[in-house]
Amino acid sequence: MLRVKDLTCFRRDRALFEAVSFSLNTGDILQVCGSNGSGKTTLMRTLVGLYKNYTGCFDWDLPNPPLYLGHRPGINENLTPLENIKWVFELNNQHIETADMDEAIRQVGLAENAYTCCSDLSFGQKKRVALAPFCVGKNSLWIMDEPFSGIDGIGVTLIEKLFRKRSLWGGSIIFSSHQAIPSGLAVKKLELR
Amino acid sequence: MLGWFHRLGSPKMFFGMSQSWPKTFGLLSFLLLVLGTVWGLLFAPLDYQQGHSVRIMYVHVPAAAVAQSCYLFMAISGAVFLIWNIKLADWAAKSMAPIGASLAFLVLITGAIWGKPTWGTWWVWDARLTSTLVLLLLYLGIIALRNALEEKGNDGRPCAILALVGLVNLPIIKYSVDWWFTLHQPASFTLTEKPKMPPEMWIPLLIMAAGYYLFVFSVWTSRIRNEIVSRERKTAWARAWAGSP
Amino acid sequence: MTFFFRTIAREFLNYRRKPGLFLNPLIFCGLVVFLFVVGLGPDEAKLNQVASIFILVASLLSVLMSAESAFDQDYEEGSLELVVVSSNSLLMYSLAKSLAHWIVTFLPLILLVPFIGIGLFLDVGQIWVLCLGILLVSPTITLLASVGASMTIGLPRNGVLVGILVLPFYVPPLIFVTGLFEAALLKQNVLPYVYWLLALFFLALALAPSATSACLRIAAED
């Protein structure tokens, strides 16, 4: 569903990484690893079209646009978690049932905070809000930049559960992380240097 | 045509090509400016109303024309950068901004000096002085935006958009300002109409204008060459040129 | 089109939860007028002559302040990225943001104008003209402010920068709206000025959203 060929990304004329090629099939989970400054975030941003300074090519074959979790989680401080989740679905022109939203909120463990403004939430809790659309979304590809950063142990287990469920459904995931994932997920690895 | 365009867009090619430009055009402009100044200040006839004070026209009017041309140049380079993503065009616009700003400033200063004997005050809110003031403000805005962008390490695309928005607005600003202030004498020199001045007056004016254009070009080439070297300092050819290993 | 209205709804919600976003500029506007009055002295005839312009210029300045925060917030929290990634039109997004911004800044201001106007000894007719002038000029002002604000997203000290970039472009609208005030005062035909202000508005409407969306894309992609 995704083929990347000889992708080289530049930052101020310097190549961050060179000639990266890989492909992703339905149900694959790909972990992009590498040290700080190796271009993990840039690769993610390039794939979703937020970064243009690259050579090489990549092409998609997707029934719907990918769901993206960026470096900044995209949570509006003045809206409640529910309103934020709804906005993410509205952006993708998808309808979401109230029951599904409640379910998502419950899964990320924020049921009690569903109606408080996100400005009252901690960074980790905001990150969980940003993860909530992934619990119920129907997108066939997820692109997640550092999903594990700023998240506690329960949160990490939650994401792993999500990943497992997702790949069983036949969805694919690309995520970046510099740390090893503890559980036994079948994860392909792409090392940037 | 496109091949030529791309060759010109390569910093290395441009750098090699423009090696002698600052000096050659600087010398040429110096000769023209000296000729025009001597002719204009010593030999050109006096205005029957304004007397000797009309002679500042030879500094003021070409500067005004060139200040506007610089803006046009900047906007066009900006458009080239936005459309074809040629970095050199961005640097070209960047190198031109301070030159245009200083020329606009020169217009205001000489305008004020001209105003003192003519209108009796240093400053009049007259249409063309006011539009030049706005032009200077636009230049300052673009320079300020450029500084902020570079501080963050971004390229000049927002600057290019600002220059284009300014280009659309300049005629509107000029018209709206004209609407209000109509104190100034009508435009003294246009390309389309036959000038009403005697040739002894407009020939030195033309020489001064040519001198100004060449001066701007020579300063601009030396600025953009500086820019190229500092941006490309890590490349092999720039190191070789600078004689460092 | 639904995206357009959803964006507006989201903006309204945002402003409702943080009223300071649009109330502070209003208070600022009132204060600027107040300072002008203090500087000029309480002379009725003098104040009456310049009151309209004071109120207008103060409102222009205050709008710039709120425009800057409206776009910067999106960038800082990362929702701008989500909008760019989604296949929605950025043009619609910037239009919707400008419309919402215009509604929350200028409608309260127009409601406030009669009160300020009475304090500056304007008569009823002048207050009507002032409201009309603000109504005609404000959409152009908001659109221009959105271009400036989107241009400086995420830049250091961008609050002042927006002012430097945008204020020169306020010259034509300001000139025509003061023309409108003067024509009304002298009982002349105000229609030419109305047409001019409308023309400026349509020009801004045609060009500003594309410039804004281009700047938003650049900001998200940097």
Side-chain angles (χ1 to χ4, degrees):
Chain A
M1 61 194 331
L2 165 67
R3 258 199 322 279
V4 177
K5 201 164 180 302
D6 290 333
L7 189 69
T8 304
C9 282
F10 301 92
R11 187 94 197 165
R12 318 257 144 79
D13 300 332
R14 189 178 62 88
L16 274 173
F17 50 81
E18 277 173 277
V20 168
S21 302
F22 63 91
S23 64
L24 199 70
N25 298 318
T26 318
D28 280 356
I29 302 180
L30 178 77
Q31 178 182 10
V32 180
C33 29
S35 50
N36 293 338
S38 59
K40 298 189 293 292
T41 298
T42 308
L43 175 64
M44 298 289 160
R45 292 170 61 82
T46 308
L47 291 179
V48 290
L50 280 174
Y51 197 81
K52 296 286 162 63
N53 195 1
Y54 66 88
T55 57
C57 59
F58 58 93
D59 60 286
W60 300 106
D61 177 22
L62 288 178
N64 44 27
L67 201 54
Y68 172 63
L69 173 73
H71 184 67
R72 297 191 182 99
I75 299 302
N76 187 318
E77 302 256 305
N78 302 330
L79 304 186
T80 65
L82 281 177
E83 286 156 355
N84 267 307
I85 298 168
K86 197 158 159 247
W87 171 248
V88 172
F89 283 95
E90 283 172 353
L91 273 181
N92 289 311
N93 289 316
Q94 289 168 354
H95 180 70
I96 177 167
E97 301 290 342
T98 322
D100 281 346
M101 259 197 305
D102 291 340
E103 170 64 16
I105 284 285
R106 201 188 51 73
Q107 278 194 27
V108 294
L110 290 173
E112 282 166 25
N113 308 79
Y115 295 97
T116 50
C117 273
C118 286
S119 49
D120 293 340
L121 302 184
S122 74
F123 179 78
Q125 283 175 314
K126 278 182 215 157
K127 190 100 190 193
R128 281 165 181 252
V129 177
L131 285 169
F134 291 85
C135 301
V136 283
K138 305 275 191 296
N139 307 53
S140 50
L141 176 71
W142 295 352
I143 297 184
M144 307 167 93
D145 189 11
E146 299 286 356
F148 295 101
S149 78
I151 280 242
D152 58 12
I154 308 169
V156 172
T157 345
L158 163 81
I159 300 177
E160 284 168 4
K161 218 170 78 191
L162 272 178
F163 278 13
R164 197 165 295 127
K165 216 167 79 187
R166 195 67 204 162
S167 63
L168 283 181
W169 280 7
S172 323
I173 302 162
I174 303 178
F175 72 98
S176 69
S177 178
H178 52 265
Q179 64 209 29
I181 303 305
S183 80
L185 272 173
V187 171
K188 289 211 276 186
K189 279 200 179 179
L190 175 72
E191 183 85 28
L192 293 180
R193 64 188 93 241
Chain B
M1 166 68 191
L2 262 177
W4 168 84
F5 200 58
H6 273 279
R7 257 203 312 286
L8 198 65
S10 136
K12 188 185 167 190
M13 287 294 297
F14 182 85
F15 193 80
M17 226 161 56
S18 62
Q19 185 84 40
S20 61
W21 291 1
K23 272 189 191 142
T24 318
F25 290 99
L27 192 69
L28 217 61
S29 86
F30 179 72
L31 292 177
L32 284 175
L33 286 176
V34 167
L35 177 66
T37 312
V38 171
W39 192 339
L41 296 196
L42 300 180
F43 300 107
L46 296 181
D47 186 87
Y48 73 100
Q49 270 182 325
Q50 299 186 13
H52 277 294
S53 63
V54 77
R55 296 195 190 279
I56 201 167
M57 173 181 83
Y58 297 106
V59 185
H60 176 81
V61 174
V66 179
Q68 289 175 20
S69 309
C70 288
Y71 195 90
L72 184 67
F73 176 87
M74 213 168 57
I76 292 173
S77 323
V80 169
F81 177 51
L82 284 179
I83 298 167
W84 287 289
N85 203 16
I86 296 173
K87 276 182 292 178
L88 193 65
D90 188 29
W91 305 345
K94 183 195 168 188
S95 320
M96 193 52 107
I99 305 176
S102 9
L103 282 168
F105 187 64
L106 182 70
V107 176
L108 292 180
I109 293 288
T110 51
I113 296 172
W114 198 357
K116 185 66 183 164
T118 318
W119 299 317
T121 54
W122 291 109
W123 183 262
V124 173
W125 285 102
D126 126 280
R128 275 187 284 154
L129 282 184
T130 310
S131 345
T132 310
L133 181 63
V134 176
L135 183 69
L136 176 64
L137 292 175
L138 289 181
Y139 273 124
L140 294 183
I142 286 181
I143 294 171
L145 180 60
R146 171 76 67 175
N147 287 341
L149 286 167
E150 292 202 334
E151 208 172 307
K152 212 177 154 232
N154 294 3
D155 64 18
R157 277 175 295 170
C159 270
I161 295 175
L162 182 62
L164 287 171
V165 173
L167 194 67
V168 175
N169 262 277
L170 269 177
I172 301 173
I173 292 172
K174 210 168 155 40
Y175 178 81
S176 66
V177 170
D178 274 347
W179 178 297
W180 278 112
F181 317 100
T182 36
L183 242 160
H184 209 302
Q185 60 254 72
S188 47
F189 187 72
T190 50
L191 280 177
T192 45
E193 281 173 48
K194 193 172 184 295
K196 293 186 190 75
M197 287 182 217
E200 306 87 77
M201 277 172 99
W202 64 255
I203 291 176
L205 198 56
L206 201 63
I207 293 174
M208 283 301 275
Y212 264 89
Y213 273 108
L214 289 177
F215 173 74
V216 165
F217 186 72
S218 124
V219 176
W220 173 77
T221 26
S222 78
R223 283 183 62 89
I224 193 172
R225 284 170 58 78
N226 229 336
E227 188 74 28
I228 292 172
V229 172
S230 86
R231 301 263 183 172
E232 307 273 287
R233 62 183 180 276
K234 285 187 182 138
T235 61
W237 69 263
R239 281 161 173 274
W241 176 81
S244 74
Chain C
M1 215 50 200
T2 48
F3 174 65
F4 180 77
F5 292 116
R6 280 170 185 163
T7 309
I8 291 182
R10 181 171 183 265
E11 289 295 302
F12 280 160
L13 204 57
N14 195 22
Y15 283 119
R16 208 181 76 199
R17 298 267 163 80
K18 267 250 173 67
L21 284 177
F22 67 98
L23 285 182
N24 287 357
L26 268 184
I27 297 168
F28 173 82
C29 173
L31 274 172
V32 170
V33 174
F34 174 63
L35 282 186
F36 272 133
V37 173
V38 169
L40 210 67
D43 180 34
E44 182 175 338
K46 230 195 220 170
L47 279 182
N48 184 288
Q49 215 175 11
V50 286
S52 305
I53 303 302
F54 281 177
I55 298 173
L56 190 75
V57 172
S59 70
L60 301 193
L61 293 177
S62 65
V63 166
L64 274 183
M65 300 169 62
S66 49
E68 187 258 317
S69 55
F71 284 97
D72 233 35
Q73 191 197 0
D74 270 6
Y75 171 77
E76 296 296 342
E77 65 192 24
S79 31
L80 180 61
E81 276 183 12
L82 292 186
V83 177
V84 174
V85 167
S86 76
S87 46
N88 293 295
S89 148
L90 265 185
L91 194 78
M92 281 297 152
Y93 184 68
S94 28
L95 252 179
K97 277 198 85 98
S98 296
L99 180 59
H101 182 225
W102 180 76
I103 291 173
V104 299
T105 49
F106 274 108
L107 286 192
L109 186 83
I110 287 178
L111 294 179
L112 199 68
V113 158
F115 298 99
I116 304 181
I118 288 167
L120 298 179
F121 312 111
L122 294 178
D123 60 38
V124 178
Q126 282 175 309
I127 289 178
W128 274 113
V129 173
L130 179 56
C131 287
L132 175 72
I134 291 183
L135 200 63
L136 281 169
V137 82
S138 53
T140 317
I141 295 301
T142 307
L143 286 165
L144 286 172
S146 79
V147 179
S150 61
M151 222 164 244
T152 56
I153 286 177
L155 295 183
R157 299 174 302 278
N158 54 3
V160 188
L161 198 56
V162 177
I164 298 178
L165 300 188
V166 173
L167 287 178
F169 295 112
Y170 282 0
V171 170
L174 197 62
I175 282 177
F176 289 116
V177 82
T178 47
L180 175 85
F181 294 157
E182 252 167 53
L185 202 64
L186 301 172
K187 303 268 182 293
Q188 287 169 349
N189 186 7
V190 295
L191 273 182
Y193 298 99
V194 172
Y195 292 149
W196 262 110
L197 288 169
L198 284 177
L200 287 181
F201 164 60
F202 284 119
L203 187 72
L205 187 64
L207 297 179
S210 355
T212 306
S213 56
C215 291
L216 288 179
R217 190 173 293 277
I218 291 169
E221 279 173 10
D222 95 68

mmCIF file with all atom_site columns, all heavy atoms in Angstrom, chain A residues 143-157:
data_model
loop_
_atom_site.group_PDB
_atom_site.id
_atom_site.type_symbol
_atom_site.label_atom_id
_atom_site.label_alt_id
_atom_site.label_comp_id
_atom_site.label_asym_id
_atom_site.label_entity_id
_atom_site.label_seq_id
_atom_site.pdbx_PDB_ins_code
_atom_site.Cartn_x
_atom_site.Cartn_y
_atom_site.Cartn_z
_atom_site.occupancy
_atom_site.B_iso_or_equiv
_atom_site.pdbx_formal_charge
_atom_site.auth_seq_id
_atom_site.auth_comp_id
_atom_site.auth_asym_id
_atom_site.auth_atom_id
_atom_site.pdbx_PDB_model_num
ATOM 1   N N   . ILE A 1 143 ? 0.018  7.136  10.700 1.00 0.00 ? 143 ILE A N   1
ATOM 2   C CA  . ILE A 1 143 ? 1.390  7.630  10.733 1.00 0.00 ? 143 ILE A CA  1
ATOM 3   C C   . ILE A 1 143 ? 1.551  8.379  12.044 1.00 0.00 ? 143 ILE A C   1
ATOM 4   O O   . ILE A 1 143 ? 0.867  9.376  12.285 1.00 0.00 ? 143 ILE A O   1
ATOM 5   C CB  . ILE A 1 143 ? 1.672  8.549  9.534  1.00 0.00 ? 143 ILE A CB  1
ATOM 6   C CG1 . ILE A 1 143 ? 1.532  7.738  8.253  1.00 0.00 ? 143 ILE A CG1 1
ATOM 7   C CG2 . ILE A 1 143 ? 3.055  9.152  9.633  1.00 0.00 ? 143 ILE A CG2 1
ATOM 8   C CD1 . ILE A 1 143 ? 1.871  8.482  7.020  1.00 0.00 ? 143 ILE A CD1 1
ATOM 9   N N   . MET A 1 144 ? 2.389  7.845  12.906 1.00 0.00 ? 144 MET A N   1
ATOM 10  C CA  . MET A 1 144 ? 2.477  8.415  14.255 1.00 0.00 ? 144 MET A CA  1
ATOM 11  C C   . MET A 1 144 ? 3.919  8.768  14.570 1.00 0.00 ? 144 MET A C   1
ATOM 12  O O   . MET A 1 144 ? 4.804  7.935  14.516 1.00 0.00 ? 144 MET A O   1
ATOM 13  C CB  . MET A 1 144 ? 1.956  7.414  15.282 1.00 0.00 ? 144 MET A CB  1
ATOM 14  C CG  . MET A 1 144 ? 0.572  6.892  14.951 1.00 0.00 ? 144 MET A CG  1
ATOM 15  S SD  . MET A 1 144 ? 0.137  5.479  15.947 1.00 0.00 ? 144 MET A SD  1
ATOM 16  C CE  . MET A 1 144 ? -0.706 6.268  17.288 1.00 0.00 ? 144 MET A CE  1
ATOM 17  N N   . ASP A 1 145 ? 4.117  10.055 14.903 1.00 0.00 ? 145 ASP A N   1
ATOM 18  C CA  . ASP A 1 145 ? 5.456  10.504 15.240 1.00 0.00 ? 145 ASP A CA  1
ATOM 19  C C   . ASP A 1 145 ? 5.615  10.453 16.759 1.00 0.00 ? 145 ASP A C   1
ATOM 20  O O   . ASP A 1 145 ? 4.920  11.165 17.483 1.00 0.00 ? 145 ASP A O   1
ATOM 21  C CB  . ASP A 1 145 ? 5.625  11.942 14.724 1.00 0.00 ? 145 ASP A CB  1
ATOM 22  C CG  . ASP A 1 145 ? 7.049  12.411 14.824 1.00 0.00 ? 145 ASP A CG  1
ATOM 23  O OD1 . ASP A 1 145 ? 7.922  11.570 15.093 1.00 0.00 ? 145 ASP A OD1 1
ATOM 24  O OD2 . ASP A 1 145 ? 7.284  13.606 14.625 1.00 0.00 ? 145 ASP A OD2 1
ATOM 25  N N   . GLU A 1 146 ? 6.512  9.621  17.214 1.00 0.00 ? 146 GLU A N   1
ATOM 26  C CA  . GLU A 1 146 ? 6.793  9.476  18.646 1.00 0.00 ? 146 GLU A CA  1
ATOM 27  C C   . GLU A 1 146 ? 5.526  9.278  19.479 1.00 0.00 ? 146 GLU A C   1
ATOM 28  O O   . GLU A 1 146 ? 5.237  10.080 20.379 1.00 0.00 ? 146 GLU A O   1
ATOM 29  C CB  . GLU A 1 146 ? 7.545  10.712 19.171 1.00 0.00 ? 146 GLU A CB  1
ATOM 30  C CG  . GLU A 1 146 ? 8.893  10.964 18.531 1.00 0.00 ? 146 GLU A CG  1
ATOM 31  C CD  . GLU A 1 146 ? 9.962  9.994  19.005 1.00 0.00 ? 146 GLU A CD  1
ATOM 32  O OE1 . GLU A 1 146 ? 9.676  9.168  19.898 1.00 0.00 ? 146 GLU A OE1 1
ATOM 33  O OE2 . GLU A 1 146 ? 11.082 10.046 18.454 1.00 0.00 ? 146 GLU A OE2 1
ATOM 34  N N   . PRO A 1 147 ? 4.755  8.250  19.224 1.00 0.00 ? 147 PRO A N   1
ATOM 35  C CA  . PRO A 1 147 ? 3.526  8.089  20.012 1.00 0.00 ? 147 PRO A CA  1
ATOM 36  C C   . PRO A 1 147 ? 3.798  7.799  21.485 1.00 0.00 ? 147 PRO A C   1
ATOM 37  O O   . PRO A 1 147 ? 2.963  8.061  22.334 1.00 0.00 ? 147 PRO A O   1
ATOM 38  C CB  . PRO A 1 147 ? 2.821  6.914  19.340 1.00 0.00 ? 147 PRO A CB  1
ATOM 39  C CG  . PRO A 1 147 ? 3.874  6.178  18.623 1.00 0.00 ? 147 PRO A CG  1
ATOM 40  C CD  . PRO A 1 147 ? 4.908  7.186  18.243 1.00 0.00 ? 147 PRO A CD  1
ATOM 41  N N   . PHE A 1 148 ? 4.991  7.269  21.787 1.00 0.00 ? 148 PHE A N   1
ATOM 42  C CA  . PHE A 1 148 ? 5.250  6.848  23.164 1.00 0.00 ? 148 PHE A CA  1
ATOM 43  C C   . PHE A 1 148 ? 5.835  7.947  24.043 1.00 0.00 ? 148 PHE A C   1
ATOM 44  O O   . PHE A 1 148 ? 5.965  7.764  25.240 1.00 0.00 ? 148 PHE A O   1
ATOM 45  C CB  . PHE A 1 148 ? 6.219  5.652  23.174 1.00 0.00 ? 148 PHE A CB  1
ATOM 46  C CG  . PHE A 1 148 ? 5.624  4.436  22.537 1.00 0.00 ? 148 PHE A CG  1
ATOM 47  C CD1 . PHE A 1 148 ? 5.949  4.065  21.251 1.00 0.00 ? 148 PHE A CD1 1
ATOM 48  C CD2 . PHE A 1 148 ? 4.710  3.665  23.233 1.00 0.00 ? 148 PHE A CD2 1
ATOM 49  C CE1 . PHE A 1 148 ? 5.390  2.958  20.669 1.00 0.00 ? 148 PHE A CE1 1
ATOM 50  C CE2 . PHE A 1 148 ? 4.141  2.549  22.662 1.00 0.00 ? 148 PHE A CE2 1
ATOM 51  C CZ  . PHE A 1 148 ? 4.481  2.197  21.367 1.00 0.00 ? 148 PHE A CZ  1
ATOM 52  N N   . SER A 1 149 ? 6.197  9.079  23.444 1.00 0.00 ? 149 SER A N   1
ATOM 53  C CA  . SER A 1 149 ? 6.839  10.111 24.261 1.00 0.00 ? 149 SER A CA  1
ATOM 54  C C   . SER A 1 149 ? 5.794  10.791 25.143 1.00 0.00 ? 149 SER A C   1
ATOM 55  O O   . SER A 1 149 ? 4.674  11.081 24.710 1.00 0.00 ? 149 SER A O   1
ATOM 56  C CB  . SER A 1 149 ? 7.537  11.140 23.372 1.00 0.00 ? 149 SER A CB  1
ATOM 57  O OG  . SER A 1 149 ? 6.609  12.032 22.840 1.00 0.00 ? 149 SER A OG  1
ATOM 58  N N   . GLY A 1 150 ? 6.162  11.034 26.387 1.00 0.00 ? 150 GLY A N   1
ATOM 59  C CA  . GLY A 1 150 ? 5.285  11.729 27.326 1.00 0.00 ? 150 GLY A CA  1
ATOM 60  C C   . GLY A 1 150 ? 4.114  10.906 27.814 1.00 0.00 ? 150 GLY A C   1
ATOM 61  O O   . GLY A 1 150 ? 3.136  11.448 28.308 1.00 0.00 ? 150 GLY A O   1
ATOM 62  N N   . ILE A 1 151 ? 4.221  9.607  27.665 1.00 0.00 ? 151 ILE A N   1
ATOM 63  C CA  . ILE A 1 151 ? 3.086  8.746  28.022 1.00 0.00 ? 151 ILE A CA  1
ATOM 64  C C   . ILE A 1 151 ? 3.543  7.775  29.101 1.00 0.00 ? 151 ILE A C   1
ATOM 65  O O   . ILE A 1 151 ? 4.666  7.275  29.062 1.00 0.00 ? 151 ILE A O   1
ATOM 66  C CB  . ILE A 1 151 ? 2.615  7.987  26.754 1.00 0.00 ? 151 ILE A CB  1
ATOM 67  C CG1 . ILE A 1 151 ? 1.757  8.912  25.921 1.00 0.00 ? 151 ILE A CG1 1
ATOM 68  C CG2 . ILE A 1 151 ? 1.958  6.700  27.069 1.00 0.00 ? 151 ILE A CG2 1
ATOM 69  C CD1 . ILE A 1 151 ? 0.371  8.466  25.726 1.00 0.00 ? 151 ILE A CD1 1
ATOM 70  N N   . ASP A 1 152 ? 2.667  7.512  30.075 1.00 0.00 ? 152 ASP A N   1
ATOM 71  C CA  . ASP A 1 152 ? 3.073  6.632  31.177 1.00 0.00 ? 152 ASP A CA  1
ATOM 72  C C   . ASP A 1 152 ? 2.928  5.153  30.782 1.00 0.00 ? 152 ASP A C   1
ATOM 73  O O   . ASP A 1 152 ? 2.519  4.826  29.666 1.00 0.00 ? 152 ASP A O   1
ATOM 74  C CB  . ASP A 1 152 ? 2.270  6.944  32.437 1.00 0.00 ? 152 ASP A CB  1
ATOM 75  C CG  . ASP A 1 152 ? 0.780  6.788  32.202 1.00 0.00 ? 152 ASP A CG  1
ATOM 76  O OD1 . ASP A 1 152 ? 0.411  6.226  31.146 1.00 0.00 ? 152 ASP A OD1 1
ATOM 77  O OD2 . ASP A 1 152 ? -0.013 7.221  33.048 1.00 0.00 ? 152 ASP A OD2 1
ATOM 78  N N   . GLY A 1 153 ? 3.275  4.272  31.725 1.00 0.00 ? 153 GLY A N   1
ATOM 79  C CA  . GLY A 1 153 ? 3.283  2.841  31.442 1.00 0.00 ? 153 GLY A CA  1
ATOM 80  C C   . GLY A 1 153 ? 1.952  2.309  30.960 1.00 0.00 ? 153 GLY A C   1
ATOM 81  O O   . GLY A 1 153 ? 1.886  1.530  29.998 1.00 0.00 ? 153 GLY A O   1
ATOM 82  N N   . ILE A 1 154 ? 0.858  2.775  31.593 1.00 0.00 ? 154 ILE A N   1
ATOM 83  C CA  . ILE A 1 154 ? -0.470 2.299  31.181 1.00 0.00 ? 154 ILE A CA  1
ATOM 84  C C   . ILE A 1 154 ? -0.752 2.746  29.759 1.00 0.00 ? 154 ILE A C   1
ATOM 85  O O   . ILE A 1 154 ? -1.305 2.000  28.943 1.00 0.00 ? 154 ILE A O   1
ATOM 86  C CB  . ILE A 1 154 ? -1.550 2.845  32.138 1.00 0.00 ? 154 ILE A CB  1
ATOM 87  C CG1 . ILE A 1 154 ? -1.152 2.526  33.586 1.00 0.00 ? 154 ILE A CG1 1
ATOM 88  C CG2 . ILE A 1 154 ? -2.915 2.265  31.815 1.00 0.00 ? 154 ILE A CG2 1
ATOM 89  C CD1 . ILE A 1 154 ? -1.993 3.226  34.623 1.00 0.00 ? 154 ILE A CD1 1
ATOM 90  N N   . GLY A 1 155 ? -0.304 3.968  29.469 1.00 0.00 ? 155 GLY A N   1
ATOM 91  C CA  . GLY A 1 155 ? -0.503 4.509  28.130 1.00 0.00 ? 155 GLY A CA  1
ATOM 92  C C   . GLY A 1 155 ? 0.234  3.676  27.089 1.00 0.00 ? 155 GLY A C   1
ATOM 93  O O   . GLY A 1 155 ? -0.297 3.402  26.000 1.00 0.00 ? 155 GLY A O   1
ATOM 94  N N   . VAL A 1 156 ? 1.459  3.267  27.436 1.00 0.00 ? 156 VAL A N   1
ATOM 95  C CA  . VAL A 1 156 ? 2.243  2.467  26.495 1.00 0.00 ? 156 VAL A CA  1
ATOM 96  C C   . VAL A 1 156 ? 1.520  1.149  26.204 1.00 0.00 ? 156 VAL A C   1
ATOM 97  O O   . VAL A 1 156 ? 1.393  0.732  25.042 1.00 0.00 ? 156 VAL A O   1
ATOM 98  C CB  . VAL A 1 156 ? 3.661  2.214  27.057 1.00 0.00 ? 156 VAL A CB  1
ATOM 99  C CG1 . VAL A 1 156 ? 4.416  1.232  26.189 1.00 0.00 ? 156 VAL A CG1 1
ATOM 100 C CG2 . VAL A 1 156 ? 4.427  3.523  27.156 1.00 0.00 ? 156 VAL A CG2 1
ATOM 101 N N   . THR A 1 157 ? 1.007  0.504  27.266 1.00 0.00 ? 157 THR A N   1
ATOM 102 C CA  . THR A 1 157 ? 0.255  -0.732 27.056 1.00 0.00 ? 157 THR A CA  1
ATOM 103 C C   . THR A 1 157 ? -0.957 -0.489 26.172 1.00 0.00 ? 157 THR A C   1
ATOM 104 O O   . THR A 1 157 ? -1.283 -1.320 25.300 1.00 0.00 ? 157 THR A O   1
ATOM 105 C CB  . THR A 1 157 ? -0.254 -1.293 28.410 1.00 0.00 ? 157 THR A CB  1
ATOM 106 O OG1 . THR A 1 157 ? 0.429  -0.653 29.455 1.00 0.00 ? 157 THR A OG1 1
ATOM 107 C CG2 . THR A 1 157 ? -0.090 -2.779 28.472 1.00 0.00 ? 157 THR A CG2 1
#
